[in-house]
Every structure is written in structure tokens, then in C-alpha cells.
Amino acid sequence: MANELQPARGTHDLIGEDQRRYQHIVDTARRIAASYGFEEWATPIFEDTRVFSRTLGETSDVVTKEMYTFEDRGGDSVTLRPEFTAGVCRALVSNGLTQSLPQKVFLAGPIFRYDRPQKGRYRQFHQLDLEVLGSAEPLADAEVIACGWDIIKALGVAQHVVPELNTLGDRESRQSYRDALVAYFTEHQAALSQDSLARLDRNPMRILDSKDPADRRLVADAPTITPYLTEAAAGFYDSVKRYLTQFGVPFTENPRIVRGLDYYGHTAFEFITTKLGAQDAVGGGGRYDGLVTQMGGPSVPAVGWALGIDRLALLLDEPPPVPSAVAVVPVGDSAEAIALGIVQTLRNAGIRAEIAYRGNLRRRMERANRIGARAAVIIGDDDIARGVAQVKNLQTGEQEAVALSELAERLR
Ligand code: HAM
């Protein structure tokens, strides 16, 4: 089959068990986010390229190497969203919502990055995303992290995940930390990788994120931000930690977290797992107080995270089972019209019910067994005359006549 087409590299179909895992993760997150008072938004999958290029950081890998950017037929440059946050800020401004703050937003859907595909890393993947727009309070930071942690717990994967926390300080803290890092790495620049050397001038904090083994040895002894924090930044960080403890979130501090996107200040965090090899982050986020201004809006302090659905799916033990159906089986042509009425009544009562499109009694019963139906509702001319149907329990084989008016109640 030389011409059989395959999914594009780095994409995958969600079918059967994979789709059930995906749906379970989104349903769980949606329920928990709603319980925290978040409202769901859906923003476009593609945006004006400037929404991302201006804001994620001109030196970030996402902008320099990973965006799916193209000119549309009208000559406009558009980009498939490589994350949700910038689009959410754009939407806040475009919809005039900067006057109705705070906004607590939840989203879920596909995200696109031209990354090198491997286990847990794809070119089309899926994120859950949570943002609080319009709060400068450290309680907002703690609340979004607590909500993420609750989702991870509800999915039953908390034993594989640790929330790791850091602060990137305020502008003043970052400036003095940056100077300290430049001094340190300049002293050791002969040992730095080519990539990190390029970052030394433009964004030295990103060196802390390098995967290069030689860089990592240097990073191990590099200064941390703690002594460079202003009193205000240190106080903010202490409050976030205090609230997290009050929320019961068991976090670990990791001064090496810098995040791969440039819009963060103050809180930065990741949900780390040891179960997925190199792809060790199931989620991450932080505070981004300047992003809405970059979108042309007023100053709107904000904090949020994204969780990788595909990575969470790899951690889930068992996907939830498919609820088993009731098969409605007419015997003879005249019974079919009644059977269609029954199948619709059951469906309207919220019962998963199926009717085969064709076939005699034997074929239809075979099909009922093949789809794993829990019961068959068999109806023939005699039954119609008596106003009943035969309900056969397909696990035990027991069969009894049930009045048509009582079917839905009995099969619930
Ligand atoms: P991020 O750390 O770039 O943050 O991505 C969040 C999560 O998306 C990662 O932790 C990972 O689980 C998943 N992910 C990233 N790339 C891939 C990939 N190629 N394949 C599979 N999963 C992947 C953000 O996107 C920020 N917008 C988070 C945020 C929201 N910050 C504030 N608000």
C-alpha cells in the first residue's frame, strides 16, 4: 500500500482508548476549574502572528524555531497558536473585558509547535489552560496552582507529580540577578555551549534552562536569584508559599525554574514528573503582569498555567470504561417501528441505547454481544399486543417481560 497516507509527523489520532483518556482529562479539569469559579473560553486556533511574536520573547525557542507561521491567501501572516496565554490576553482586549476584572478563564484544545517529536513531545498536542486576569494578589498565584494540583489529584496521577516553585522576582531583582549571571557565565564562557553563548548577551537567565551537559555543570554552581530579590519581591514570594501551604499543596522549591517563555515575573512553577523521561514537565506557568499591555491594553496583572493533556494521558493508568449499551432488538417488520420508539425513549432518558440497522433476531443478538451490551430489549408481535418487551440480562441470561412504560426506569 505504497500510497497509504500517514498522519503528519508529530501528530496523532485520538481514537478509542486515546480519545477516552483525552475526554476524561478535559471533563475532570472542566469540572474542577468550574468549582473554583473559572469560566470556559474558546479562542481561535490561529491568530495574527504578532500576537505571539511580540510577546513570547524574541529569543524563546517557541518563537525562533517552533511556530507554524504562514501567509494566508490574503497575504496576512498568521500563526497556529503555540500556547493559549497570548491569545487569551488578545481576546481580553479585543472584547473590551479589561473593564470587567478579574476574569478567571479555563480553556482546552490543540496547540502547535514545530518541535522534534518523541514520546510525550508532539507537533500538535493539547493543553488545559487556566488564567486569572486582573489580580496582583499572591493569593491568585496560589489559587491557580491549587486548582492545577486538584486536577492532577482527581486524575489519580499525583503520586507521579511534584509541584516545583520559584520566583523570578520583580524587574529590579531580575536586573541585578541578570548582572550577576552575566558576570558568572562570562568568567566560564569557554565552557559554555554555542547556544548558551548566544544567550549570554540577550537572555542569560535562559542558560539556566539549558539541557547541554557542559552547561548543566556550570548551572549547578551558578548564583540563584534569592540574594538579589528586593524586599517586595521576597515578600510576595513568601505570601505565595504561605497560601500554598494553607491550600494544602505539597510544593518543592526549585531555584532553577526559569520557564521557556519570556513574559514571566514573580511566580514561576512547573508540575514535574519522573515518569516521562526527558519530557519531565506535565505543566507549567507563572505570573505575567506585562502581557496585556503588550497587546495594546491597560496594565492587567495576571497569572496562570497550562497542563499538557497528552503527557497527563501517558500517566493515567486505565482509561475510563465505555458505558455499556442496551441493544433494542425487533423481531419482525411490524415490531421495528415500535422498537425505534423504544430506543428513542431510552436515549431521551439518558440511557445509552442502540438498534442494529438490519438483520434477523440471531444476527442482532450476536451484534448485541459483540458491542458488549448489558441488556437486550427484544420485542415481537406478541409482546406488542401485551404492551411489554422482553428484557434479557446479557450477563446472567435471565429474561423477563417488562411493561413498555416501565422500560426506562428498569434499565437505568
Ligand atoms: P509551557 O511550559 O510552554 O507553558 O507548556 C505547558 C505544558 O504543555 C508543558 O508543561 C507540557 O506538558 C506541554 N507541552 C509543551 N510542549 C509540548 C509538546 N511539544 N508536546 C506535548 N506537550 C507539550 C505554556 O504554554 C504557558 N502558556 C503556560 C502559562 C499559562 N503560563 C501562564 N499561563
Short mmCIF file of all heavy atoms in Angstrom, two decimals, residues 322-370:
data_model
loop_
_atom_site.label_atom_id
_atom_site.label_comp_id
_atom_site.label_asym_id
_atom_site.label_seq_id
_atom_site.Cartn_x
_atom_site.Cartn_y
_atom_site.Cartn_z
N VAL A 322 -15.96 2.41 28.61
CA VAL A 322 -17.10 2.90 27.85
C VAL A 322 -18.35 2.36 28.55
O VAL A 322 -18.42 1.18 28.83
CB VAL A 322 -17.11 2.28 26.43
CG1 VAL A 322 -18.21 2.87 25.58
CG2 VAL A 322 -15.77 2.44 25.77
N PRO A 323 -19.32 3.21 28.85
CA PRO A 323 -20.54 2.68 29.47
C PRO A 323 -21.21 1.71 28.50
O PRO A 323 -21.25 1.98 27.30
CB PRO A 323 -21.40 3.93 29.70
CG PRO A 323 -20.74 5.04 28.97
CD PRO A 323 -19.37 4.63 28.56
N SER A 324 -21.67 0.56 29.01
CA SER A 324 -22.19 -0.40 28.05
C SER A 324 -23.65 -0.08 27.72
O SER A 324 -24.39 0.49 28.53
CB SER A 324 -22.02 -1.83 28.54
OG SER A 324 -22.78 -2.00 29.70
N ALA A 325 -24.03 -0.47 26.51
CA ALA A 325 -25.31 -0.05 25.95
C ALA A 325 -26.41 -1.07 26.21
O ALA A 325 -26.16 -2.18 26.66
CB ALA A 325 -25.15 0.16 24.45
N VAL A 326 -27.61 -0.65 25.91
CA VAL A 326 -28.76 -1.55 25.84
C VAL A 326 -29.05 -1.73 24.35
O VAL A 326 -29.13 -0.74 23.62
CB VAL A 326 -29.97 -0.92 26.55
CG1 VAL A 326 -31.24 -1.72 26.27
CG2 VAL A 326 -29.70 -0.79 28.04
N ALA A 327 -29.18 -2.99 23.90
CA ALA A 327 -29.49 -3.23 22.48
C ALA A 327 -30.99 -3.49 22.34
O ALA A 327 -31.54 -4.34 23.05
CB ALA A 327 -28.69 -4.42 21.98
N VAL A 328 -31.63 -2.75 21.45
CA VAL A 328 -33.06 -2.96 21.21
C VAL A 328 -33.20 -3.84 19.96
O VAL A 328 -32.61 -3.55 18.92
CB VAL A 328 -33.80 -1.61 21.05
CG1 VAL A 328 -35.27 -1.85 20.73
CG2 VAL A 328 -33.64 -0.79 22.33
N VAL A 329 -33.93 -4.94 20.10
CA VAL A 329 -33.97 -5.96 19.05
C VAL A 329 -35.41 -6.25 18.62
O VAL A 329 -36.16 -6.92 19.35
CB VAL A 329 -33.33 -7.28 19.57
CG1 VAL A 329 -33.41 -8.38 18.51
CG2 VAL A 329 -31.89 -7.02 20.00
N PRO A 330 -35.85 -5.71 17.49
CA PRO A 330 -37.20 -6.02 16.99
C PRO A 330 -37.21 -7.40 16.33
O PRO A 330 -36.23 -7.79 15.70
CB PRO A 330 -37.45 -4.92 15.97
CG PRO A 330 -36.09 -4.49 15.51
CD PRO A 330 -35.11 -4.79 16.61
N VAL A 331 -38.31 -8.13 16.52
CA VAL A 331 -38.46 -9.41 15.83
C VAL A 331 -39.61 -9.25 14.84
O VAL A 331 -40.76 -9.17 15.25
CB VAL A 331 -38.77 -10.54 16.84
CG1 VAL A 331 -38.82 -11.88 16.11
CG2 VAL A 331 -37.74 -10.57 17.95
N GLY A 332 -39.27 -9.14 13.57
CA GLY A 332 -40.30 -8.95 12.54
C GLY A 332 -40.45 -7.48 12.18
O GLY A 332 -40.13 -6.60 12.98
N ASP A 333 -40.98 -7.28 10.94
CA ASP A 333 -41.02 -5.92 10.39
C ASP A 333 -41.92 -4.98 11.19
O ASP A 333 -41.59 -3.82 11.39
CB ASP A 333 -41.51 -5.95 8.94
CG ASP A 333 -40.45 -6.56 8.05
OD1 ASP A 333 -39.28 -6.62 8.52
OD2 ASP A 333 -40.78 -6.97 6.93
N SER A 334 -43.08 -5.50 11.63
CA SER A 334 -44.02 -4.58 12.29
C SER A 334 -43.46 -4.11 13.63
O SER A 334 -43.82 -3.04 14.12
CB SER A 334 -45.39 -5.24 12.48
OG SER A 334 -45.21 -6.43 13.21
N ALA A 335 -42.58 -4.91 14.22
CA ALA A 335 -42.03 -4.53 15.52
C ALA A 335 -40.99 -3.42 15.39
O ALA A 335 -40.69 -2.73 16.37
CB ALA A 335 -41.40 -5.74 16.21
N GLU A 336 -40.46 -3.23 14.17
CA GLU A 336 -39.36 -2.26 14.03
C GLU A 336 -39.81 -0.85 14.41
O GLU A 336 -39.08 -0.12 15.09
CB GLU A 336 -38.77 -2.29 12.63
CG GLU A 336 -37.47 -1.52 12.58
CD GLU A 336 -36.70 -1.78 11.29
OE1 GLU A 336 -37.20 -1.38 10.22
OE2 GLU A 336 -35.61 -2.36 11.38
N ALA A 337 -41.01 -0.46 13.99
CA ALA A 337 -41.49 0.89 14.28
C ALA A 337 -41.60 1.10 15.79
O ALA A 337 -41.19 2.14 16.33
CB ALA A 337 -42.85 1.13 13.62
N ILE A 338 -42.11 0.10 16.51
CA ILE A 338 -42.22 0.20 17.97
C ILE A 338 -40.81 0.26 18.59
O ILE A 338 -40.54 1.04 19.50
CB ILE A 338 -42.97 -1.04 18.54
CG1 ILE A 338 -44.33 -1.21 17.87
CG2 ILE A 338 -43.09 -0.93 20.06
CD1 ILE A 338 -45.41 -0.28 18.37
N ALA A 339 -39.92 -0.58 18.03
CA ALA A 339 -38.56 -0.64 18.57
C ALA A 339 -37.86 0.71 18.43
O ALA A 339 -37.12 1.14 19.34
CB ALA A 339 -37.74 -1.72 17.85
N LEU A 340 -38.11 1.41 17.31
CA LEU A 340 -37.48 2.74 17.13
C LEU A 340 -38.00 3.71 18.18
O LEU A 340 -37.25 4.53 18.71
CB LEU A 340 -37.77 3.27 15.73
CG LEU A 340 -36.97 2.59 14.61
CD1 LEU A 340 -37.39 3.14 13.25
CD2 LEU A 340 -35.47 2.77 14.82
N GLY A 341 -39.30 3.59 18.51
CA GLY A 341 -39.87 4.42 19.57
C GLY A 341 -39.19 4.12 20.90
O GLY A 341 -38.84 5.03 21.66
N ILE A 342 -38.98 2.83 21.18
CA ILE A 342 -38.36 2.44 22.46
C ILE A 342 -36.92 2.96 22.55
O ILE A 342 -36.51 3.52 23.57
CB ILE A 342 -38.37 0.90 22.61
CG1 ILE A 342 -39.81 0.39 22.77
CG2 ILE A 342 -37.50 0.46 23.80
CD1 ILE A 342 -39.93 -1.13 22.75
N VAL A 343 -36.17 2.81 21.46
CA VAL A 343 -34.76 3.21 21.52
C VAL A 343 -34.66 4.72 21.77
O VAL A 343 -33.81 5.18 22.55
CB VAL A 343 -33.98 2.71 20.26
CG1 VAL A 343 -34.17 3.61 19.06
CG2 VAL A 343 -32.52 2.55 20.58
N GLN A 344 -35.58 5.49 21.17
CA GLN A 344 -35.54 6.94 21.39
C GLN A 344 -35.95 7.30 22.83
O GLN A 344 -35.37 8.19 23.44
CB GLN A 344 -36.45 7.68 20.40
CG GLN A 344 -35.95 7.66 18.96
CD GLN A 344 -34.53 8.18 18.82
OE1 GLN A 344 -33.57 7.47 19.14
NE2 GLN A 344 -34.37 9.41 18.40
N THR A 345 -36.94 6.58 23.35
CA THR A 345 -37.36 6.83 24.74
C THR A 345 -36.20 6.58 25.69
O THR A 345 -35.94 7.37 26.61
CB THR A 345 -38.55 5.91 25.11
OG1 THR A 345 -39.56 6.10 24.16
CG2 THR A 345 -39.08 6.23 26.51
N LEU A 346 -35.50 5.47 25.48
CA LEU A 346 -34.36 5.15 26.36
C LEU A 346 -33.28 6.24 26.23
O LEU A 346 -32.73 6.72 27.23
CB LEU A 346 -33.77 3.78 26.00
CG LEU A 346 -34.69 2.57 26.25
CD1 LEU A 346 -34.01 1.28 25.80
CD2 LEU A 346 -35.07 2.48 27.73
N ARG A 347 -32.96 6.63 25.00
CA ARG A 347 -31.92 7.66 24.79
C ARG A 347 -32.32 8.97 25.47
O ARG A 347 -31.49 9.62 26.11
CB ARG A 347 -31.72 7.90 23.29
CG ARG A 347 -31.01 6.75 22.61
CD ARG A 347 -31.06 6.87 21.10
NE ARG A 347 -30.30 5.79 20.48
CZ ARG A 347 -30.33 5.51 19.19
NH1 ARG A 347 -31.11 6.23 18.38
NH2 ARG A 347 -29.61 4.52 18.71
N ASN A 348 -33.60 9.33 25.33
CA ASN A 348 -34.04 10.58 25.96
C ASN A 348 -33.97 10.51 27.47
O ASN A 348 -33.87 11.54 28.15
CB ASN A 348 -35.47 10.93 25.52
CG ASN A 348 -35.52 11.31 24.05
OD1 ASN A 348 -34.48 11.65 23.46
ND2 ASN A 348 -36.68 11.23 23.43
N ALA A 349 -34.01 9.29 28.01
CA ALA A 349 -33.89 9.12 29.46
C ALA A 349 -32.41 9.05 29.88
O ALA A 349 -32.11 8.76 31.03
CB ALA A 349 -34.62 7.87 29.90
N GLY A 350 -31.50 9.25 28.91
CA GLY A 350 -30.07 9.28 29.23
C GLY A 350 -29.43 7.90 29.24
O GLY A 350 -28.31 7.73 29.72
N ILE A 351 -30.13 6.90 28.70
CA ILE A 351 -29.58 5.54 28.66
C ILE A 351 -28.94 5.32 27.29
O ILE A 351 -29.55 5.64 26.26
CB ILE A 351 -30.72 4.51 28.91
CG1 ILE A 351 -31.25 4.70 30.34
CG2 ILE A 351 -30.23 3.09 28.68
CD1 ILE A 351 -32.55 4.00 30.60
N ARG A 352 -27.72 4.79 27.30
CA ARG A 352 -27.05 4.51 26.04
C ARG A 352 -27.77 3.33 25.39
O ARG A 352 -27.81 2.22 25.94
CB ARG A 352 -25.59 4.15 26.35
CG ARG A 352 -24.68 4.01 25.16
CD ARG A 352 -23.30 3.61 25.67
NE ARG A 352 -22.40 3.34 24.58
CZ ARG A 352 -21.45 4.18 24.19
NH1 ARG A 352 -21.26 5.32 24.82
NH2 ARG A 352 -20.66 3.85 23.18
N ALA A 353 -28.38 3.56 24.23
CA ALA A 353 -29.19 2.52 23.59
C ALA A 353 -28.89 2.48 22.10
O ALA A 353 -28.69 3.50 21.47
CB ALA A 353 -30.67 2.82 23.82
N GLU A 354 -28.85 1.25 21.56
CA GLU A 354 -28.52 1.09 20.15
C GLU A 354 -29.52 0.16 19.50
O GLU A 354 -30.05 -0.76 20.14
CB GLU A 354 -27.14 0.46 20.01
CG GLU A 354 -26.04 1.39 20.46
CD GLU A 354 -24.77 1.12 19.69
OE1 GLU A 354 -24.81 1.14 18.43
OE2 GLU A 354 -23.75 0.85 20.34
N ILE A 355 -29.71 0.36 18.18
CA ILE A 355 -30.52 -0.59 17.42
C ILE A 355 -29.74 -0.89 16.14
O ILE A 355 -29.22 0.02 15.51
CB ILE A 355 -31.94 -0.02 17.14
CG1 ILE A 355 -32.79 -1.06 16.41
CG2 ILE A 355 -31.90 1.29 16.38
CD1 ILE A 355 -34.29 -0.77 16.48
N ALA A 356 -29.62 -2.19 15.82
CA ALA A 356 -28.87 -2.56 14.61
C ALA A 356 -29.64 -2.06 13.39
O ALA A 356 -30.87 -2.01 13.41
CB ALA A 356 -28.67 -4.07 14.56
N TYR A 357 -28.92 -1.70 12.32
CA TYR A 357 -29.60 -1.15 11.14
C TYR A 357 -30.32 -2.23 10.36
O TYR A 357 -31.24 -1.96 9.62
CB TYR A 357 -28.59 -0.43 10.25
CG TYR A 357 -27.93 0.75 10.96
CD1 TYR A 357 -26.55 0.93 10.89
CD2 TYR A 357 -28.68 1.64 11.71
CE1 TYR A 357 -25.95 1.99 11.55
CE2 TYR A 357 -28.10 2.69 12.37
CZ TYR A 357 -26.72 2.87 12.29
OH TYR A 357 -26.13 3.90 12.94
N ARG A 358 -29.90 -3.50 10.52
CA ARG A 358 -30.56 -4.59 9.81
C ARG A 358 -30.23 -5.91 10.49
O ARG A 358 -29.41 -5.95 11.40
CB ARG A 358 -30.14 -4.62 8.34
CG ARG A 358 -28.64 -4.71 8.15
CD ARG A 358 -28.26 -4.79 6.72
NE ARG A 358 -28.86 -5.97 6.13
CZ ARG A 358 -28.79 -6.28 4.85
NH1 ARG A 358 -28.15 -5.46 4.01
NH2 ARG A 358 -29.33 -7.37 4.38
N GLY A 359 -30.90 -7.02 10.00
CA GLY A 359 -30.55 -8.36 10.47
C GLY A 359 -31.69 -9.02 11.22
O GLY A 359 -32.56 -8.36 11.78
N ASN A 360 -31.67 -10.37 11.22
CA ASN A 360 -32.69 -11.13 11.94
C ASN A 360 -32.34 -11.20 13.42
O ASN A 360 -31.32 -10.66 13.85
CB ASN A 360 -32.87 -12.52 11.33
CG ASN A 360 -31.57 -13.30 11.38
OD1 ASN A 360 -30.68 -12.98 12.18
ND2 ASN A 360 -31.45 -14.31 10.53
N LEU A 361 -33.20 -11.90 14.20
CA LEU A 361 -33.00 -11.98 15.65
C LEU A 361 -31.60 -12.45 16.01
O LEU A 361 -30.91 -11.86 16.84
CB LEU A 361 -34.07 -12.91 16.25
CG LEU A 361 -33.93 -13.22 17.74
CD1 LEU A 361 -34.12 -11.97 18.58
CD2 LEU A 361 -34.94 -14.29 18.17
N ARG A 362 -31.15 -13.56 15.33
CA ARG A 362 -29.86 -14.13 15.70
C ARG A 362 -28.71 -13.13 15.44
O ARG A 362 -27.86 -12.89 16.29
CB ARG A 362 -29.62 -15.41 14.90
CG ARG A 362 -28.36 -16.19 15.33
CD ARG A 362 -28.24 -17.51 14.59
NE ARG A 362 -28.24 -17.35 13.14
CZ ARG A 362 -27.17 -17.00 12.42
NH1 ARG A 362 -26.01 -16.80 13.00
NH2 ARG A 362 -27.26 -16.86 11.11
N ARG A 363 -28.74 -12.52 14.26
CA ARG A 363 -27.68 -11.56 13.91
C ARG A 363 -27.67 -10.37 14.86
O ARG A 363 -26.63 -9.86 15.28
CB ARG A 363 -27.87 -11.06 12.46
CG ARG A 363 -27.72 -12.16 11.42
CD ARG A 363 -26.25 -12.52 11.25
NE ARG A 363 -25.49 -11.39 10.71
CZ ARG A 363 -25.42 -11.12 9.40
NH1 ARG A 363 -26.04 -11.90 8.53
NH2 ARG A 363 -24.72 -10.09 8.97
N ARG A 364 -28.88 -9.95 15.21
CA ARG A 364 -28.95 -8.77 16.09
C ARG A 364 -28.47 -9.13 17.50
O ARG A 364 -27.83 -8.31 18.16
CB ARG A 364 -30.38 -8.23 16.14
CG ARG A 364 -30.77 -7.50 14.85
CD ARG A 364 -32.22 -7.06 14.94
NE ARG A 364 -32.75 -6.59 13.67
CZ ARG A 364 -33.00 -5.32 13.38
NH1 ARG A 364 -32.73 -4.38 14.25
NH2 ARG A 364 -33.49 -4.98 12.22
N MET A 365 -28.78 -10.34 17.97
CA MET A 365 -28.29 -10.75 19.29
C MET A 365 -26.76 -10.91 19.27
O MET A 365 -26.08 -10.56 20.24
CB MET A 365 -28.97 -12.06 19.74
CG MET A 365 -30.44 -11.90 20.10
SD MET A 365 -30.76 -10.64 21.36
CE MET A 365 -30.16 -11.46 22.81
N GLU A 366 -26.24 -11.43 18.16
CA GLU A 366 -24.77 -11.55 18.04
C GLU A 366 -24.12 -10.18 18.15
O GLU A 366 -23.11 -9.99 18.81
CB GLU A 366 -24.39 -12.18 16.69
CG GLU A 366 -24.46 -13.69 16.69
CD GLU A 366 -24.34 -14.26 15.27
OE1 GLU A 366 -24.02 -13.48 14.32
OE2 GLU A 366 -24.60 -15.45 15.11
N ARG A 367 -24.75 -9.24 17.45
CA ARG A 367 -24.18 -7.88 17.48
C ARG A 367 -24.25 -7.28 18.89
O ARG A 367 -23.31 -6.64 19.35
CB ARG A 367 -24.91 -6.97 16.49
CG ARG A 367 -24.32 -5.59 16.47
CD ARG A 367 -24.78 -4.70 15.35
NE ARG A 367 -24.01 -3.46 15.38
CZ ARG A 367 -24.23 -2.46 16.21
NH1 ARG A 367 -25.22 -2.54 17.08
NH2 ARG A 367 -23.46 -1.37 16.18
N ALA A 368 -25.38 -7.53 19.56
CA ALA A 368 -25.53 -7.01 20.94
C ALA A 368 -24.39 -7.53 21.82
O ALA A 368 -23.79 -6.78 22.60
CB ALA A 368 -26.88 -7.42 21.51
N ASN A 369 -24.05 -8.81 21.66
CA ASN A 369 -22.94 -9.37 22.45
C ASN A 369 -21.60 -8.76 22.03
O ASN A 369 -20.75 -8.49 22.86
CB ASN A 369 -22.91 -10.90 22.30
CG ASN A 369 -23.99 -11.53 23.16
OD1 ASN A 369 -24.13 -11.20 24.34
ND2 ASN A 369 -24.81 -12.41 22.58
N ARG A 370 -21.45 -8.57 20.72
CA ARG A 370 -20.17 -8.05 20.21
C ARG A 370 -19.91 -6.63 20.75
O ARG A 370 -18.78 -6.29 21.08
CB ARG A 370 -20.18 -8.05 18.68
CG ARG A 370 -18.79 -8.04 18.09
CD ARG A 370 -18.77 -8.34 16.60
NE ARG A 370 -19.64 -7.47 15.83
CZ ARG A 370 -20.71 -7.86 15.17
NH1 ARG A 370 -21.07 -9.13 15.17
NH2 ARG A 370 -21.44 -7.00 14.49
#
